[in-house]
Amino acid sequence: MKFYSTTVFIFYLLFGQLCAQSLFDDKNSEFVNPNEILASVDTINITAEEFFYNYEFGPAFTKRNKDSKEMHLNYMINEKLLALEGYKNNLLDNAETKNIYNNIQDDLATEELFKNEILSEIKLSDKEINNIVNQKKIDLEIKWIYSTDENEINNISKLLNDQTLFDSLYNSQINDSVFVDQREMEISRFNLNKKNPTLARYIDSMKVGEITKPININDGWYIIKYDNKIVRIISTQAEYFKLSKEAEEALTKSKMDSLSDSYVNNLLFESKSTIKRDAFNILRSYLGKFILPKEKYDSWDLYKNMEIALSSLGIYTNEKYSGIILIESADKNYTLDDFLFWFQPRNLYIKFNKSSLKEYSKSVENCVWQMLRDNLLAQIAKEKNYYETDWVIRQSKWWKEKIVYSALRNQYNNSIEIKQNEKAALVNNDYTTLEIMSKELSQKYLHTILGLKQNIKIKVDKDLLNKIKVSSEDDKKIINFYSIKKGGLIPRPAYPSIDPDWASWE
């Protein structure tokens, strides 16, 4: 199974997230050095910069209270105390915990690779920006008649020599199962180009009121009527500035997509990689056992296919499958174990197409190529020393402490669940099992933290805390806003922050 260069994997990061590194400087460069130590918890230091990002991208409950920053810092200190306990218990040596940390570190380093080698190449001209501004000013009204049958659409087209018939034929398609918004749209020229560039090009060549001949676009045949065009007038400088910023970000994203697609496709092509058919069939069946409904797994004969593939490799069904090569590349081979190790921290975010065996197989194959992409990008980032940049080192430290704290939290959660299962028959009707578990868990945290505070030295620079500028303080109306970075190598929060559960634990 060869890799073809037309396969596209977008190595894309949100433009706003790439610029997030400057947020601290925008608010605090005149008042605070980012590396100033705000608090120390034994050997762990919390810098002004770490606090700022933890607070800005954190839950809203601390921001609604009086002394918002102090409350948030206290919860950060709690998590650092528990991280120290996690280090003491060697939780970072756990394979799963270490895998999550390594994945995030890889993601941080490849972000730097992306910024330096792709984003830095993007150049925007005034002409390009103005062109998009003009597209955003134009609103289009479009109607269409649709059919999946070419003969039917051609017969309809013959009836449209008299343009007055269009509306009656159009109306005849609206019924209980086909709604008006499935046959017409009002949309800006810019958004139409994003949604359907082929249709946008047709509209550009038409006059208002004109009707097309049958057009084949993706899922069927269309006869389109260009109903109306409205050009909005920009009346203020502020409105023009807003449209210009939107145009700049849209153009940057478009060029990022194009450059990153090219970069990644070249990388994959040069790796001279091939997916091994038998190993792929084993993987497809193995994943299917967990993610497919049983009736589909059985009707697609995936178990039988796995047995055939194992037999071809000289392996019995109940033997371990470690060491089976999934991808052969010019420099390195990747096994089924390598894929599963990559897949484990991402499995909640990866969606497979289950509509047919063909589509399911295609989505599994895309996932395999994505694993290879991630490994190749991480390898290049290592070779070019992006792991050693100051920004990656600082963020890696924040994430390491957060991950170790989270591993300890999971350990506590599991211990509470075991105890609660033993008490299930004694649950009082006034409480749910979840409420009792939460109460026991909060007591365990409180007891642990109080014990740690008696033995660990904690220092806080309150003057520095007062100097740090943040976007929201003591705001009772603020709502929760979760920032999730979906681009890059692994979906994750943009920055580590305190758990929202602290609101109910204490």
Side-chain angles (χ1 to χ4, degrees):
M1 189 183 296
K2 295 275 187 184
F3 165 75
Y4 295 97
S5 59
T6 52
T7 304
V8 175
F9 294 104
I10 298 176
F11 178 34
Y12 167 61
L13 300 166
L14 291 175
F15 181 67
Q17 289 170 345
L18 286 172
C19 298
Q21 189 178 346
S22 66
L23 286 178
F24 180 88
D25 291 339
D26 291 344
K27 285 187 174 293
N28 289 285
S29 60
E30 296 179 17
F31 314 101
V32 179
N33 183 308
N35 296 318
E36 282 189 73
I37 296 173
L38 173 62
S40 61
V41 184
D42 195 39
T43 56
I44 295 177
N45 291 328
I46 300 172
T47 64
E49 181 183 48
E50 181 186 2
F51 170 80
F52 173 82
Y53 288 113
N54 197 297
Y55 184 95
E56 289 291 302
F57 290 86
F61 79 93
T62 55
K63 301 169 189 176
R64 298 190 189 110
N65 289 275
K66 187 178 180 182
D67 300 322
S68 302
K69 292 189 293 185
E70 185 174 351
M71 174 182 279
H72 192 96
L73 179 59
N74 286 335
Y75 288 123
M76 283 186 73
I77 289 170
N78 287 350
E79 292 196 1
K80 300 301 185 184
L81 285 165
L82 293 169
L84 286 169
E85 188 70 4
Y87 284 131
K88 182 180 173 182
N89 294 334
N90 299 315
L91 292 184
L92 195 61
D93 294 336
N94 175 278
E96 185 176 339
T97 305
K98 187 182 292 185
N99 188 28
I100 293 170
Y101 172 67
N102 288 340
N103 272 277
I104 289 180
Q105 195 176 34
D106 290 343
D107 192 44
L108 294 170
T110 52
E111 278 185 5
E112 292 301 291
L113 167 71
F114 179 81
K115 285 189 285 187
N116 281 278
E117 304 198 9
I118 294 178
L119 190 60
S120 63
E121 296 297 313
I122 295 173
K123 311 295 180 190
L124 307 180
S125 69
D126 290 341
K127 182 179 179 181
E128 289 174 313
I129 293 171
N130 287 333
N131 183 46
I132 292 180
V133 169
N134 289 333
Q135 289 183 15
K136 283 177 168 285
K137 287 161 48 181
I138 298 171
D139 291 325
L140 307 172
E141 295 177 8
I142 304 164
K143 292 180 179 177
W144 60 88
I145 298 169
Y146 170 77
S147 176
T148 56
D149 185 272
E150 185 177 3
N151 289 329
E152 181 186 26
I153 204 77
N154 284 332
N155 289 332
I156 293 172
S157 181
K158 289 174 185 177
L159 296 173
L160 289 176
N161 292 330
D162 180 358
Q163 290 194 4
T164 58
L165 287 177
F166 180 91
D167 286 342
S168 62
L169 290 169
Y170 162 84
N171 288 329
S172 71
Q173 290 204 335
I174 308 300
N175 53 50
D176 290 342
S177 59
V178 178
F179 302 105
V180 170
D181 62 359
Q182 293 175 282
R183 291 293 183 269
E184 67 179 53
M185 70 169 71
E186 296 180 14
I187 191 170
S188 72
R189 170 61 181 78
F190 171 75
N191 285 332
L192 179 62
N193 190 61
K194 282 174 59 179
K195 188 174 182 178
N196 194 325
T198 304
L199 179 55
R201 286 193 294 272
Y202 272 107
I203 297 299
D204 285 344
S205 66
M206 296 171 65
K207 297 176 181 177
V208 173
E210 191 173 343
I211 298 170
T212 68
K213 295 294 184 183
I215 301 169
N216 184 231
I217 303 176
N218 299 329
D219 59 340
W221 293 87
Y222 294 78
I223 295 174
I224 297 163
K225 182 181 181 185
Y226 186 1
D227 227 22
N228 198 11
K229 175 181 179 180
I230 302 167
V231 181
R232 290 182 287 117
I233 297 173
I234 300 175
S235 57
T236 65
Q237 188 67 27
E239 187 181 359
Y240 180 80
F241 179 77
K242 179 177 178 289
L243 286 175
S244 295
K245 289 297 292 182
E246 290 174 355
E248 186 178 332
E249 291 185 10
L251 190 57
T252 299
K253 178 193 176 303
S254 175
K255 293 195 174 188
M256 278 198 300
D257 285 349
S258 178
L259 286 171
S260 60
D261 286 352
S262 176
Y263 185 94
V264 171
N265 276 300
N266 287 338
L267 190 63
L268 289 166
F269 186 78
E270 290 170 4
S271 74
K272 297 181 173 61
S273 298
T274 303
I275 297 176
K276 306 300 290 180
R277 173 64 65 181
D278 287 329
F280 176 80
N281 286 344
I282 294 167
L283 175 65
R284 182 182 63 179
S285 298
Y286 176 80
L287 292 175
K289 189 184 296 185
F290 300 101
I291 63 179
L292 293 173
K294 187 178 184 305
E295 59 272 15
K296 284 193 174 181
Y297 183 84
D298 293 340
S299 66
W300 292 348
D301 287 332
L302 288 176
Y303 184 78
K304 182 180 178 182
N305 288 335
M306 183 169 69
E307 284 189 317
I308 293 170
L310 288 168
S311 177
S312 176
L313 294 171
I315 301 171
Y316 292 105
T317 303
N318 293 325
E319 289 182 350
K320 292 185 178 180
Y321 310 151
S322 59
I324 297 176
I325 295 173
L326 176 62
I327 300 176
E328 283 186 349
S329 295
D331 298 324
K332 179 182 177 181
N333 293 333
Y334 297 88
T335 66
L336 287 175
D337 285 342
D338 292 327
F339 176 87
L340 294 174
F341 205 58
W342 170 89
F343 180 76
Q344 190 274 328
R346 297 168 172 81
N347 70 87
L348 295 177
Y349 305 98
I350 294 175
K351 305 300 180 189
F352 294 98
N353 189 328
K354 305 172 189 176
S355 60
S356 68
L357 177 59
K358 180 180 178 181
E359 291 303 318
Y360 168 66
S361 300
K362 192 185 298 182
S363 60
V364 173
E365 183 182 351
N366 285 341
C367 200
V368 173
W369 288 123
Q370 187 179 340
M371 182 272 286
L372 177 62
R373 175 207 73 168
D374 290 357
N375 278 276
L376 292 174
L377 287 169
Q379 180 182 324
I380 289 177
K382 282 188 176 75
E383 291 170 358
K384 298 190 174 183
N385 295 319
Y386 283 110
Y387 289 77
E388 308 307 317
T389 63
D390 289 342
W391 184 232
V392 171
I393 290 170
R394 294 204 300 277
Q395 288 190 90
S396 295
K397 173 186 173 294
W398 305 343
W399 276 109
K400 182 187 289 186
E401 291 158 6
K402 180 67 180 182
I403 290 166
V404 172
Y405 151 76
S406 298
L408 186 72
R409 174 187 167 172
N410 289 340
Q411 195 175 79
Y412 285 177
N413 288 351
N414 292 336
S415 69
I416 295 296
E417 286 173 9
I418 292 169
K419 289 179 182 178
Q420 189 52 47
N421 287 337
E422 294 172 353
K423 297 177 183 178
L426 302 176
V427 173
N428 189 298
N429 292 331
D430 294 335
Y431 296 93
T432 65
T433 302
L434 187 60
E435 285 172 335
I436 292 176
M437 287 171 59
S438 178
K439 184 177 179 181
E440 289 192 25
L441 189 60
S442 64
Q443 287 174 346
K444 189 174 183 73
Y445 279 125
L446 182 61
H447 177 76
T448 304
I449 288 167
L450 289 175
L452 290 170
K453 284 183 175 179
Q454 289 178 359
N455 299 301
I456 291 175
K457 189 175 182 180
I458 299 170
K459 291 172 62 178
V460 175
D461 187 338
K462 290 194 175 182
D463 290 337
L464 178 57
L465 181 64
N466 291 332
K467 289 180 186 177
I468 297 173
K469 305 294 182 185
V470 292
S471 58
S472 297
E473 274 186 90
D474 309 340
D475 183 356
K476 295 187 182 300
K477 295 182 180 180
I478 192 169
I479 60 172
N480 273 313
F481 174 78
Y482 296 100
S483 174
I484 299 295
K485 188 187 77 64
K486 293 184 178 179
L489 305 193
I490 186 168
R492 60 175 173 84
Y495 294 94
S497 187
I498 62 168
D499 283 347
D501 290 338
W502 286 110
S504 59
W505 285 340
E506 289 194 337

